[in-house]
């Protein structure tokens, strides 16, 4: 379990716009470290205050372990201490999660983002508390608790948040249900327990910041980090009019998700920008010609690429 000083330091650093970066892969499904460097520069130059690897955008729960380690190490190297690097821990069991946590600590990340266990649907609250407690006991890193129930099938409840918040190394909550009622209940419990709160659903960023969130973790920031960072900054200083305007602009960019499966659409958009390739996990549906045309159309309409691209 981390010291109070380390906990306070991470709380001081965790705020603002933290993109959940993709995991760039070659056509052979191996790590593309050159693309990691390009994407890192892109998001940090755009105003990212942290980098979150191996989340849903980063395909963390599905990558081969050696690929995940290599990509994480490449992000740590590319970031070079300029902002915190957070690594996602999404596993079917606590045993696997502990192993991953220890490995990513050795790689040099600054914090871990812990999802609920993803397979057996046991008594939810106690299972989640046991899971997070065991990971906290196995690592010295700060922990961010990550609620994404539509993928884990294990919702984290306000009761569980209150119990987890008693663990010294837990510093924040990332909430990605996309449901405002769920978010507000969890955010209220987290803030009352002294945790920082981050919104992971892009459409709810401005509203969440207006209600006291500390930042956001938007996948679309891989494509438009500057826009996402400006939205978060406006919300944090209380400029709700500007934040709502920037939210509408961000929503327009998010239209590219409708071109096919959302992650392959996101990776295809980054390929159009020349930052990474479009390769994703083999089970994920690649975009067809119409989908790729739709991605290009969205990028042109929002001004990310030129009309002739």
């Amino acid at each position: 379990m981390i010291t109070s000083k380390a906990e306070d330091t991470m709380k001081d650093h965790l705020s603002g716009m933290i993109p959940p970066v993709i995991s760039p892969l070659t056509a052979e499904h191996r790590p593309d470290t050159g693309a990691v460097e390009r994407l890192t520069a892109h998001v940090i130059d755009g105003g990212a205050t942290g980098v979150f690897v191996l989340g849903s955008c980063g395909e963390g729960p599905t990558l081969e372990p050696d690929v995940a380690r290599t990509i994480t190490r490449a992000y740590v190297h590319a970031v070079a201490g300029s902002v915190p690097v957070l690594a996602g821990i999404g596993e079917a069991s606590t045993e696997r999660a502990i192993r991953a946590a220890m490995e990513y600590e050795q790689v040099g990340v600054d914090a871990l983002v812990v999802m609920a266990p993803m397979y057996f649907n046991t008594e939810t609250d106690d299972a989640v508390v046991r899971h997070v407690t065991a990971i906290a006991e196995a690592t010295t890193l700060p922990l961010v608790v990550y609620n994404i129930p539509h993928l884990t099938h294990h919702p984290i409840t306000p009761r569980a948040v209150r119990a987890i918040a008693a663990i010294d190394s837990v510093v924040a909550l990332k909430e990605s249900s996309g449901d405002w009622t769920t978010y507000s209940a969890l955010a209220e419990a987290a803030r009352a327990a002294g945790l920082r709160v981050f919104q992971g659903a892009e459409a709810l960023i401005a509203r969440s910041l207006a209600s006291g969130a500390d930042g956001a973790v938007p996948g679309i920031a891989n494509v438009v980090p500057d826009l996402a960072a400006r939205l978060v900054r406006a919300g944090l200083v209380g400029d709700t009019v500007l934040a709502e305007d920037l939210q509408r602009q961000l929503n327009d960019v998010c239209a590219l998700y409708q071109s096919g499966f959302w992650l392959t659409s996101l990776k295809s958009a980054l390929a159009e920008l020349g930052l990474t390739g479009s390769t994703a996990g083999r089970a994920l549906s690649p975009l067809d010609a119409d989908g790729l045309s739709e991605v290009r159309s969205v990028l042109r309409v929002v001004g990310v690429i030129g009309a002739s691209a």
Side-chain angles (χ1 to χ4, degrees):
M1 201 170 290
I2 66 169
T3 65
S4 296
K5 181 178 179 181
E7 177 191 352
D8 291 343
T9 298
M10 182 50 62
K11 281 186 177 180
D12 290 343
H13 282 83
L14 273 188
S15 65
M17 196 282 289
I18 303 175
V21 287
I22 68 152
S23 291
L25 303 171
T26 67
E28 296 74 32
H29 292 85
R30 301 307 299 168
D32 186 344
T33 56
V36 167
E37 293 178 0
R38 291 190 295 274
L39 185 58
T40 299
H42 177 63
V43 298
I44 291 179
D45 290 348
T49 56
V51 170
F52 172 32
V53 304
L54 305 182
S56 304
C57 288
E59 301 172 76
T62 61
L63 293 176
E64 294 180 80
D66 69 311
V67 172
R69 282 192 300 272
T70 301
I71 287 174
T72 302
R73 187 176 293 110
Y75 272 114
V76 169
H77 175 78
V79 168
S82 57
V83 296
V85 177
L86 295 74
I89 304 292
E91 297 285 350
S93 71
T94 302
E95 291 80 4
R96 290 186 180 188
I98 288 171
R99 180 212 64 209
M102 295 170 68
E103 289 178 351
Y104 299 138
E105 181 170 11
Q106 292 175 352
V107 166
V109 304
D110 299 292
L112 302 172
V113 183
V114 179
M115 306 173 204
M118 295 182 173
Y119 192 79
F120 292 114
N121 186 14
T122 62
E123 76 290 5
T124 300
D125 286 350
D126 291 343
V128 170
V129 173
R130 286 196 302 270
H131 183 71
V132 178
T133 300
I135 294 169
E137 290 173 348
T139 176
T140 65
L141 293 176
L143 306 182
V144 177
V145 178
Y146 183 6
N147 188 48
I148 185 163
H150 53 284
L151 294 183
T152 64
H153 309 292
H154 234 159
I156 297 174
T157 68
R159 175 179 175 270
V161 167
R162 287 189 289 270
I164 291 165
I167 302 169
D168 288 344
S169 55
V170 173
V171 298
L173 167 75
K174 177 180 185 276
E175 211 292 302
S176 296
S177 68
D179 176 75
W180 182 255
T181 300
T182 299
Y183 168 79
S184 6
L186 289 174
E188 181 180 0
R191 283 196 297 269
L195 304 184
R196 293 208 165 190
V197 176
F198 292 83
Q199 177 59 263
E202 285 131 334
L204 298 177
I205 292 174
R207 187 177 180 184
S208 301
L209 294 167
S211 71
D214 297 285
V217 188
I220 203 66
N222 283 272
V223 177
V224 285
D226 177 69
L227 174 58
R230 285 188 287 127
L231 164 56
V232 172
R233 287 195 297 267
L236 288 175
V237 299
D239 191 340
T240 55
V241 173
L242 177 58
E244 289 293 347
D245 179 58
L246 294 170
Q247 179 74 69
R248 286 188 289 270
Q249 294 180 44
L250 196 75
N251 294 345
D252 289 342
V253 186
C254 288
L256 65 84
Y257 289 143
Q258 308 305 314
S259 305
F261 182 67
W262 70 270
L263 181 54
T264 48
S265 298
L266 180 63
K267 283 196 158 184
S268 295
L270 290 169
E272 290 299 308
L273 298 181
L275 292 168
T276 74
S278 60
T279 302
R282 296 180 193 274
L284 304 182
S285 302
L287 292 191
D288 58 19
D290 288 341
L292 184 56
S293 177
E294 290 174 11
V295 166
R296 289 171 177 159
S297 176
V298 171
L299 294 177
R300 283 194 294 268
V301 168
V302 300
V304 175
I305 62 175
S308 61

